[in-house]
């Protein structure tokens, strides 16, 4: 615990903030460290943002982002009242933690997952009970369901999980939903469009399901900050109450217009997500040829380790060759690298750099 300067509220000294991946100021790095999409957003997004910039920036945006929520709802066969939007899915997640998980029992969180979940727990005084992944770094669904049935504040998981990239089936998600029908099960689908099975279709049957998605990854809009949550109306009403107690206008006019255009350009979305998945499959084979063990990924990144190389040293050697990947000094995964899938040229640069590093290590 750090010592608190005297002006701070006592809790501030106790927070353990999230540390995002490096956003380098140096140009020309091969940036494979924060799971952004390597392709730019749809040209229709840029046009919509330009239009929005030309009219009305002196006025506040729609506080309820109705047009954007209608576009999301239409795409997923939901009603607009079943969709909540926020400033990146990080903000949506934060509001969901506040709205649902401040209970007397602990929140169940996989031990290896998106580390922001534990940061929100710290911010809102939520006790997190870590649930170990199995030996293959998979979510141990049966054990988790048994634990959930004994009573908890709820359950949060990323599907596919981060940073492993491993997905769950809808049967497994339903098993978890049935294990704690009185608590919210939050399924964070940040990476779902790269090959996973979305739980959005389960919303009608499960009042305790909240699905969170983002436009940062499959819609190439990490810089615009738009995320959303879908669930039955009582869950969305709770999120609205929290949001309207925090910030009436979390999405500006440009973000609402750009996000809506991205949702509506289904052809561009299909084309770019297919390109990323195609590059991923090629990269898996190339990394395996170099001796890496690669976890099966349904995301836009790979989680890989080399049996003969230290992961931190590899990450540093890559950085020296202008390639950024993510390394976590976390127990159990400290020998893995998380590598975002880039364009074919970026993947080639990575493979070339690794070939040099491994060749040098052998000599
Ligand atoms: N969930 C997961 C699992 C993530 O990896 C990320 C990206 N860091 C997010 C949510 C947040 O994404 P954003 O705030 O850009 O929507």
């Amino acid at each position: 615990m750090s010592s608190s300067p005297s002006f701070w509220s006592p809790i501030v000294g106790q927070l353990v903030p999230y540390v995002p991946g490096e956003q380098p100021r140096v140009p020309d790095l091969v940036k494979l460290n924060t799971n952004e999409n390597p392709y730019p957003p749809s040209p229709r997004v840029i046009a919509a943002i330009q239009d929005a910039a030309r009219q009305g920036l002196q006025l506040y945006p729609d506080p309820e982002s109705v047009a954007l929520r209608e576009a999301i709802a239409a795409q997923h066969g939901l009603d607009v009242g079943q969709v909540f939007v926020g400033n990146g899915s990080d903000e949506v997640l934060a509001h969901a933690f506040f709205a649902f998980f401040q209970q007397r029992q602990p929140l169940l969180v996989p031990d290896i997952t998106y580390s922001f979940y534990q940061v929100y727990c710290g911010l809102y005084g939520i006790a997190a009970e870590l649930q170990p992944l199995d030996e293959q770094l998979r979510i141990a669904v049966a054990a988790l369901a048994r634990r959930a049935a004994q009573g908890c504040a709820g359950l949060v998981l990323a599907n596919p999980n981060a940073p492993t990239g491993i997905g769950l089936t809808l049967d497994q998600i339903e098993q978890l939903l049935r294990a704690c029908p009185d608590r919210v099960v939050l399924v964070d689908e940040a990476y779902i469009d790269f090959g996973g099975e979305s739980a959005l279709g389960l919303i009608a049957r499960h009042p305790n399901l909240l699905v969170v998605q983002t436009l940062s990854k499959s819609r190439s809009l990490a810089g615009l900050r738009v995320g959303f949550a879908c669930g039955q109306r009582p869950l969305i009403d709770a999120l609205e109450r929290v949001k309207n107690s925090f910030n009436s206008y979390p999405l500006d006019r440009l973000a609402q217009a750009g996000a809506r255009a991205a949702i509506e350009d289904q052809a561009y979305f299909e084309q770019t997500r297919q390109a990323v998945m195609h590059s991923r499959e090629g990269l898996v084979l190339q990394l395996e040829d170099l001796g890496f063990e690669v976890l099966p990924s349904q995301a836009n990144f790979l989680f890989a380790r080399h049996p003969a190389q230290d992961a931190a040293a590899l990450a540093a050697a890559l950085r020296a060759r202008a390639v950024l990947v993510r390394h976590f000094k976390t127990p159990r995964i400290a020998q893995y690298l998380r590598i975002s899938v880039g364009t074919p040229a970026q993947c080639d640069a990575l493979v070339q750099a690794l070939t040099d590093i491994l060749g040098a290590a052998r000599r």
Side-chain angles (χ1 to χ4, degrees), residues 18 88-90 93 114 117 158 162 188 190-191 214 216-217 225-227:
Y18 178 75
S89 60
D90 281 338
L93 290 167
Y114 185 36
Y117 304 149
D188 177 354
Y191 302 102
T214 178
S216 296
K217 315 292 178 180
R225 313 305 302 130
V226 182

Side-chain angles (χ1 to χ4, degrees), residues 2-3 44 51 93 123 143 151 154 164 175 206 214-215 244 250 263 270 285 289 304 346:
S2 48
S3 58
R44 286 170 56 179
D51 277 356
L93 290 167
L123 181 60
T164 64
Q175 202 180 327
H206 295 279
T214 178
L215 277 74
N244 287 322
I263 295 288
E270 271 306 323
L285 299 178
D289 278 349
Q346 291 176 316

